[in-house]
């Protein structure tokens, strides 16, 4: 049976949460009764100590209880102690978005509220000091915070309260962004704060991230105009006690690169990235520090956290170059990296509609080879003939070639407002930002695909039985592909369900259904006449792509379908 000494040794050796979550139930009972009288002092003396999940009391009785929640999933957690920016480009709002983008939970202690936009800061109202203390206590006494990140700390009192609370509730790392002046030049923390920063806060920090103005202010107005100056500043700031110093060079004059200097007391690292030409750099400092905190919370060392954070800012600025919010000189950027693809599309992706399934064209690489055409040419012809959705089903293509073809097809589909789905290959769909995927019963489960693709992409599932159809709904699919309705050469060993099987599947589900398998001009009408409202169309391979003129065949099939009773109503385009 494990002893007190064993557990206290483990607690010190395992500066993470694994010890308890992997402890067998029998041993947990033992821990409940365990007394480790010297543990609290160990906790307080060990600077990098991570409070193990489940240890809810660290009073004089030592380890008093293991909470019931120790099997819950541990989520990396950053607490930001900063000011609110009403324009949401910097401050608390930037921190929340940066942490969300990096997949980390972020709680917030608000120190000040600013009236701020892309023009500048119009007003500042500090939160009363005792209320900052109350917020800190609320979060730190209840939630397992891994890393604290500070931004705007507008008064000496707030800095002191923060430092005192952090001694009471130690965390894994402290990231200090010594915010003093906004990018617009407005003062967020006056010079009177400098000595408290130097004497109290900086010595507790694992990393500080001053920009050029802030580094200069902390060093009594030292001139910082070159990368060499930044190195000297980093060394001098390191002497004030922080474990690492990152001097940010976003505002370095005449520099075509954005250069930051990291100094860990031993080595200098020059982190260089191309300077993005954009007005949308408001909030870069806050977001960089939050991203560093997020990576530290995940357990990465400082150097890799800083590298990831810098790459993140560079990518986000690149994505947001054209982002136009507000009329002032300093715009916000898009933390979630979602705008580039939208702004570059000629047609915005629209939500999925069941009527998209009306004439569903599924490509086949062997047929294209046989007829000597590229996938993109085949897709273009099908759309010209009236296909309403396209699926790329390239079973034998090399991934690299498939991705290139998918990108070419996506361009065509987007320009015509036709959704493009990828068969089976969720990775390819993500890589080319396709509109969705179609998965079979032995492919990646739809619910996993949904997690990977997010809520907006289209997911279709092949189903032959009512049970599979019900599962597709539960898994979050958007439509069902049901078949083979008729025998087909396109798919080996495929059992057919016939029109009866199709009807059974349709009736078992609320989802829209597209019929597939051996469907051609001759039988499409019969399929659509089975009279179930959620049968929305037919999916076709050979009848379009194994023919001399894809466009003509698609057009013919289109007119057959127009004459059918689709989804209980005559189809009107
Ligand atoms: N135009 C830009 N292109 C690429 N990176 C930039 C640009 N402007 C700032 N950065 C980077 O953003 C981060 C924040 O830097 P900086 O703007 O100097 O800080 P602050 O926002 O605190 O003034 C740094 O990593 C810096 O190199
Ligand atoms: C509330 C608040 N906190 C911090 C900043 C600094 O912004 P930047 O990251 O652009 O230096 C800001 N403008 N407002
Ligand atoms: Mg900046």
């Amino acid at each position: 049976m494990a002893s007190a000494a064993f557990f206290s040794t483990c607690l010190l050796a395992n500066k993470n949460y694994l010890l308890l979550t992997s402890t067998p139930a029998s041993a947990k009972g033992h821990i409940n009764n365990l007394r480790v009288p010297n543990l609290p002092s160990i906790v307080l003396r060990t600077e990098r100590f991570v409070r193990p999940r489940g240890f809810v009391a660290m009073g004089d009785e030592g380890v008093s209880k293991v909470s019931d929640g120790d099997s819950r999933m541990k989520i990396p957690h950053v607490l930001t102690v900063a000011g609110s920016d009403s324009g949401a480009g910097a401050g608390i709002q930037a921190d929340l978005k940066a942490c969300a983008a990096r997949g980390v939970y972020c709680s917030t202690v608000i120190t000040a509220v600013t009236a701020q936009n892309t023009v500048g800061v119009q007003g500042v109202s500090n939160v009363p000091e005792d209320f900052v203390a109350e917020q800190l206590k609320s979060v730190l006494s209840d939630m397992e915070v891994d890393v604290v990140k500070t931004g705007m700390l507008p008064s000496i009192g707030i800095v002191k309260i923060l430092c005192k609370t952090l001694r009471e509730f130690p965390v894994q790392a402290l990231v200090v962004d010594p915010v003093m002046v906004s990018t617009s030049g407005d003062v967020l923390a006056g010079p009177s704060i400098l000595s408290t920063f130097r004497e109290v806060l900086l010595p507790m920090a694992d990393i500080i991230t001053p920009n050029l103005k802030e580094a200069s202010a902390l060093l009594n107005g030292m001139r910082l105009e070159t990368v060499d100056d930044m190195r000297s500043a980093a060394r001098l700031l390191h002497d004030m006690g922080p474990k690492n110093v990152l001097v940010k060079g976003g505002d370095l004059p005449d520099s075509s690169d954005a250069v930051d200097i990291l100094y860990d007391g031993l080595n200098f690292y020059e982190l260089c990235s191309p300077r993005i030409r954009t007005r949308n750099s408001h909030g870069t400092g806050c977001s960089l520090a939050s991203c560093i905190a997020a990576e530290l919370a995940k357990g990465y060392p400082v150097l890799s956290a800083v590298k990831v954070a810098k790459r993140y800012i560079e990518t986000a600025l690149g994505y947001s170059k054209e982002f136009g919010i507000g009329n002032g000189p300093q715009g916000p950027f898009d933390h979630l990296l979602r705008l580039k693809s939208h702004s570059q599309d000629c047609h915005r992706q629209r939500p999925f509609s069941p009527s998209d399934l009306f004439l569903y064209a599924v490509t086949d690489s062997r047929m294209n080879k046989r007829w000597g055409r590229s996938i993109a040419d085949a897709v273009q012809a099908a759309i010209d003939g009236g296909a309403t959705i396209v699926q790329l089903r390239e079973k034998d293509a090399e991934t690299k070639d498939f991705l290139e073809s998918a990108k070419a097809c996506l361009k065509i589909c987007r320009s015509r407002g036709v959704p493009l789905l990828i068969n089976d290959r969720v990775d390819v769909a993500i890589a080319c930002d396709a509109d969705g995927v179609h998965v079979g019963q032995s492919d990646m489960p739809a619910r996993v695909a949904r997690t990977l693709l997010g809520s907006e992409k289209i997911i279709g599932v092949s189903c032959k039985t009512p049970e599979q159809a019900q599962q597709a709904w539960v898994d979050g699919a958007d439509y069902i592909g049901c078949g083979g309705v008729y025998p087909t050469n396109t798919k080996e060993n495929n059992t057919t369900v016939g029109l009866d099987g199709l009807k059974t599947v349709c009736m078992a589900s609320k989802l829209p259904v597209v019929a597939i398998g051996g469907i051609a001009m001759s039988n499409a009408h019969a399929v659509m006449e089975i009279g179930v409202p959620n049968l929305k169309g037919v999916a076709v391979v050979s009848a379009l792509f194994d023919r001399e003129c894809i466009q003509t065949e698609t057009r013919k099939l289109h007119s057959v379908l127009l004459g059918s009773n689709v989804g209980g109503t005559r189809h009107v385009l």
Side-chain angles (χ1 to χ4, degrees), residues 143-165:
M143 302 170 121
E144 295 86 0
V145 172
D146 297 303
V147 177
V148 168
K149 176 253 154 186
T150 68
M152 178 177 176
L153 301 173
S155 72
I156 295 172
I158 287 179
V159 178
K160 288 189 173 161
I161 283 165
L162 172 68
C163 295
K164 182 170 170 276
T165 316

Side-chain angles (χ1 to χ4, degrees), residues 499-500 502-504 506 515 525-532 535 565:
L499 292 178
D500 288 344
L502 172 64
K503 198 165 179 172
T504 312
C506 288
H525 186 72
V527 172
M528 295 316 301
E529 292 290 319
I530 64 169
V532 277
L535 179 62
N565 188 8

Side-chain angles (χ1 to χ4, degrees), residues 40-288:
S41 57
I42 294 171
V43 170
L44 294 179
R45 265 195 268 124
T46 310
E47 269 176 288
R48 293 293 155 267
F49 188 82
V50 179
R51 182 150 32 110
R53 170 179 283 281
F55 280 77
V56 292
M58 294 204 180
D60 286 335
E61 320 87 68
V63 180
S64 62
K65 185 172 173 278
V66 174
S67 82
D68 299 331
D70 60 358
S71 59
R72 296 175 304 175
M73 192 164 60
K74 168 76 185 105
I75 296 163
H77 185 152
V78 169
L79 162 62
T80 171
V81 182
S84 158
D85 167 4
S86 53
I92 287 280
Q93 290 80 355
D95 299 343
L96 281 168
K97 287 185 272 185
C99 285
R102 301 303 309 160
V104 166
Y105 189 83
C106 182
S107 52
T108 56
V109 165
I110 300 183
T111 56
V113 181
T114 68
Q116 193 171 173
N117 56 19
T118 61
V119 179
V121 180
Q122 290 82 42
V124 177
S125 170
N126 290 358
V127 172
E129 287 168 11
D130 52 358
F131 202 71
V132 173
E134 202 166 330
Q135 295 177 69
L136 281 167
K137 195 162 178 216
S138 292
V139 176
L140 287 165
S141 65
D142 173 44
M143 302 170 121
E144 295 86 0
V145 172
D146 297 303
V147 177
V148 168
K149 176 253 154 186
T150 68
M152 178 177 176
L153 301 173
S155 72
I156 295 172
I158 287 179
V159 178
K160 288 189 173 161
I161 283 165
L162 172 68
C163 295
K164 182 170 170 276
T165 316
L166 284 175
R167 276 184 221 108
E168 219 174 300
F169 298 96
V171 292
Q172 189 182 330
L174 173 64
V175 177
V176 172
D177 184 19
V179 170
M180 296 172 87
V181 183
S182 74
T183 322
S184 54
D186 300 281
V187 174
L188 299 169
S192 61
I193 202 102
L194 285 169
S195 58
T196 317
F197 270 5
R198 289 189 200 109
E199 286 151 28
V200 192
L201 186 61
L202 266 46
M204 291 179 77
D206 289 82
I207 179 164
I208 63 166
T209 63
N211 62 19
L212 292 179
K213 277 188 212 135
E214 291 151 357
S216 166
L218 286 164
L219 295 167
N220 296 314
M222 177 178 168
R223 282 167 74 95
L224 297 177
E225 286 164 356
T226 64
V227 173
D228 279 343
D229 294 344
M230 290 167 68
R231 285 172 182 256
S232 311
R235 196 192 291 276
L236 291 169
L237 289 167
H238 189 267
D239 290 342
M240 294 180 187
K243 300 215 158 28
N244 296 273
V245 177
L246 181 73
V247 178
K248 299 173 295 190
D251 299 326
L252 197 67
D254 311 322
S255 169
S256 60
D257 288 335
V259 186
D260 299 347
I261 296 292
L262 176 66
Y263 181 57
D264 61 8
L266 278 176
N267 298 303
F268 286 99
Y269 301 91
E270 192 170 311
L271 302 151
C272 218
S273 66
R275 180 178 294 280
I276 313 286
R277 308 235 160 265
T278 175
R279 81 184 253 278
N280 298 326
S281 61
H282 174 57
T284 44
C286 305
S287 310
L288 182 86

